[in-house]
């Protein structure tokens, strides 16, 4: 029978070789603060690129001022609010769209963006866009995400990653402009008066936030709906030359934002700690909508990209009017702010007083 002539030294060398291979391949390491994003087109970073839907921003001139100068799926000339918050909290890159094939391995630990343009709090909002990721499905994907990460780093570390993460949720505007006010005598406007509709929205939103809380998150930034009646699309549809914001939509935004803050405060009291932080984006934007020149804009009524009155009709395309300097415009297209306007909003989210942030700004909340 043959005898082994393998020496102990060779076993040591083999073991060390395997060790070096493992070291060079690199372990999965959790670094920084994960960031998760839920909501609509104001925070969608490209999920809709992977869907058969008309609610897409994957063609020029979208992204004209992005680092690559190419469309990314963001409804912006450049960076959007999640990008800028990511910068502010020190993350090397913003969370990737959840549907992106690049979201795997170490990059999963940065978080994920589940947002989808066109969606609302209600499942019937945005029906005209056909295939979009509604809020219940975004939360289902978040559960799926946690399962994927657990297979990488284990369940306890995944739970810690989620509890220490920052969450941004921006939703609600489409429930007005693409549902209740979509056309005269819409189904929801026949079902509810405006005050009753807002109460219904808030009650449904509360269910979504409670489910989000049950999934283990520890800090959630909830933004209001913004000045809906002042968007170029609304100014164009009004058919007047006065440039006045739609009083009805502004009333809706004001009622909604007030009740949203009340609901956030109630949730925090019931939970026993500050999990949810409300950003009054309506008030933030009204400041530079009313006095744009003080903030370095030449107009807060005309969109940079579009056509028709106020450049507020239709989509932003290669055939649209396009302003040469996006820094001078509050609105990029018929509904969405420019990168410069987004930067001003994020600055107030980070450092704003209780005029804008409730119960505290994001910097204070992340220091807790």
């Amino acid at each position: 029978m043959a005898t082994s002539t393998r020496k102990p030294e060779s076993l040591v060398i083999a073991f060390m070789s395997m060790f070096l291979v493992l070291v060079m391949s690199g372990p999965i390491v959790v670094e920084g603060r994960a960031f998760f994003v839920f909501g609509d087109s104001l925070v969608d970073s490209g999920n809709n690129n992977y869907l058969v839907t008309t609610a897409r921003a994957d063609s020029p001139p979208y992204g004209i001022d992005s680092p690559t100068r190419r469309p990314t799926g963001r409804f912006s000339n450049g960076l959007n609010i999640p990008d800028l918050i990511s910068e502010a909290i020190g993350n090397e890159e913003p969370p990737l769209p959840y549907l992106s094939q690049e979201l795997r391995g170490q990059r999963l630990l940065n978080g994920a963006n589940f947002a989808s343009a066109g969606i609302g709090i209600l499942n019937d909002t945005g029906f005209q866009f056909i295939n979009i990721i509604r809020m219940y499905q975004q939360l289902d994907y978040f559960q799926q995400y946690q399962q994927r990460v657990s297979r990488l780093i284990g369940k306890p570390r995944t739970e810690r990653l989620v509890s220490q993460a920052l969450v941004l949720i921006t939703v609600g505007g489409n429930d007005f402009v693409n549902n209740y006010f979509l056309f005269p005598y819409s189904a929801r406007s026949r079902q509810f008066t405006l005050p009753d509709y807002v109460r219904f929205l808030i009650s449904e939103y509360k269910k979504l936030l409670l489910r989000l809380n049950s999934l283990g998150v520890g800090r959630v930034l909830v933004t209001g709906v913004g000045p809906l009646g002042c968007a170029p699309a609304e100014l164009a549809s009004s058919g007047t030359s006065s440039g006045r914001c739609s009083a009805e939509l502004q009333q809706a935004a004001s009622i909604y934002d007030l009740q949203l803050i009340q609901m956030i405060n109630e949730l925090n009291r019931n939970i026993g700690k500050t999990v949810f932080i409300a950003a009054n984006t309506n008030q933030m934007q009204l400041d530079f909508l009313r006095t744009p020149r003080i903030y370095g804009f030449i107009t807060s009524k005309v969109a940079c990209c579009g056509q028709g009155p106020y450049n507020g009709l239709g989509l932003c395309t290669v055939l649209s009017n396009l302003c040469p300097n996006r820094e001078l415009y509050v609105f990029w297209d018929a509904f969405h702010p420019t990168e410069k306007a987004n930067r001003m909003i994020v600055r107030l989210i980070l450092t704003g007083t209780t005029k804008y942030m409730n119960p505290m700004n994001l910097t204070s909340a992340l220091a807790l």
Side-chain angles (χ1 to χ4, degrees):
M1 185 170 76
T3 57
S4 173
T5 59
R6 189 172 186 180
K7 297 181 179 179
E9 289 84 0
S10 64
L11 294 174
V12 171
I13 291 170
F15 174 80
M16 289 302 295
S17 298
M18 291 175 62
F19 175 76
L20 287 171
V21 167
L22 288 170
V23 169
M24 294 300 289
S25 64
I28 295 294
V29 179
V30 181
E31 296 177 353
R33 186 189 296 271
F35 185 25
F36 301 105
V37 181
F38 302 87
D40 57 27
S41 60
L42 290 167
V43 292
D44 184 354
S45 292
N47 278 309
N48 280 22
N49 289 358
Y50 304 93
L51 304 174
V52 179
T53 177
T54 56
R56 294 165 70 119
D58 58 346
S59 299
Y62 284 97
I64 190 172
D65 299 311
S66 69
T68 63
R69 302 294 189 264
R70 299 176 65 183
T72 61
R74 292 161 173 80
F75 286 76
S76 172
N77 60 300
L79 302 182
N80 63 9
I81 287 175
D83 296 324
L84 299 170
I85 290 178
S86 290
E87 281 183 1
I89 64 176
N91 289 359
E92 290 186 4
E93 67 174 0
L96 292 171
Y98 188 65
L99 299 184
S100 169
Q101 293 299 309
E102 296 178 14
L103 186 65
R104 59 183 185 272
Q106 185 76 35
R107 298 179 90 177
L108 271 169
L109 308 184
N110 296 329
N113 187 319
F114 303 91
S116 177
I119 65 99
I121 295 166
L122 306 180
N123 288 334
D124 58 300
T125 292
F127 67 90
Q128 68 272 35
F129 302 123
I130 307 172
N131 188 19
I132 48 181
I133 311 171
R134 305 192 183 281
M135 277 306 306
Y136 77 90
Q137 190 176 356
Q138 291 185 30
L139 296 177
D140 286 348
Y141 278 153
F142 186 39
Q143 283 187 287
Q144 184 185 86
Y145 164 89
Q146 293 189 41
Q147 293 166 1
R148 291 174 64 187
V149 174
S150 291
R151 290 194 290 270
L152 284 176
I153 62 174
K155 188 174 180 181
R157 292 177 73 193
T158 299
E159 290 175 349
R160 186 162 63 250
L161 179 145
V162 169
S163 68
Q164 294 174 352
L166 172 64
V167 175
L168 168 65
I169 182 166
T170 296
V171 67
N174 283 322
D175 292 290
F176 294 103
V177 298
N178 282 310
N179 194 329
Y180 193 86
F181 292 107
L182 181 59
F183 46 80
Y185 308 109
S186 67
R188 289 297 188 183
S189 67
R190 294 196 307 272
Q191 182 182 8
F192 295 103
T193 64
L194 180 59
D196 286 342
Y197 182 65
V198 172
R199 280 191 286 272
F200 175 59
L201 281 182
I202 293 295
S203 68
E204 293 300 300
Y205 200 0
K206 183 179 179 180
K207 295 174 186 175
L208 293 172
L209 294 180
L210 284 171
R211 184 179 172 201
L212 190 57
N213 182 63
S214 74
L215 294 174
V217 299
R219 189 75 68 232
V220 183
L221 172 63
V222 184
T223 66
V225 294
L228 301 175
C230 301
E234 301 307 324
L235 301 184
S237 66
S238 69
T240 66
S241 58
S242 66
R244 290 191 184 130
C245 301
S246 163
E248 199 170 28
L249 273 167
Q250 283 304 96
Q251 180 192 20
S254 296
I255 297 171
Y256 175 88
D257 284 343
L258 178 61
Q259 291 191 30
L260 178 64
I261 290 171
Q262 292 170 348
M263 184 260 282
I264 292 295
N265 289 337
E266 177 192 348
L267 283 177
N268 286 332
R269 281 195 303 271
N270 292 341
I271 294 169
K273 59 181 179 179
T274 302
V275 171
F276 299 98
I277 307 149
N280 189 339
T281 47
N282 187 18
Q283 186 60 55
M284 291 175 185
Q285 293 178 73
L286 281 176
D287 288 351
F288 51 80
L289 288 174
R290 289 168 175 161
T291 55
R293 293 188 180 275
I294 291 177
Y295 297 90
F297 299 109
I298 61 170
T299 178
S300 60
K301 300 181 186 302
V302 180
C304 170
C305 182
Q307 46 278 315
Y310 308 100
N311 279 344
L313 296 179
L315 301 173
C316 171
T317 71
V318 291
L319 300 178
S320 298
N321 302 317
L322 180 65
C323 68
N325 187 351
R326 275 70 66 184
E327 294 284 306
L328 301 178
Y329 287 72
V330 171
F331 284 98
W332 159 244
D333 63 13
F335 287 105
H336 305 95
T338 56
E339 179 182 321
K340 180 179 176 181
N342 281 331
R343 285 189 180 277
M344 292 184 171
I345 294 166
V346 169
R347 190 176 302 124
L348 289 171
I349 287 173
L350 289 165
T351 63
T353 66
T354 51
K355 175 183 177 182
Y356 307 105
M357 299 296 298
N358 183 79
M360 66 189 77
N361 61 43
L362 184 57
T363 301
S364 299
L366 293 179
L368 292 176

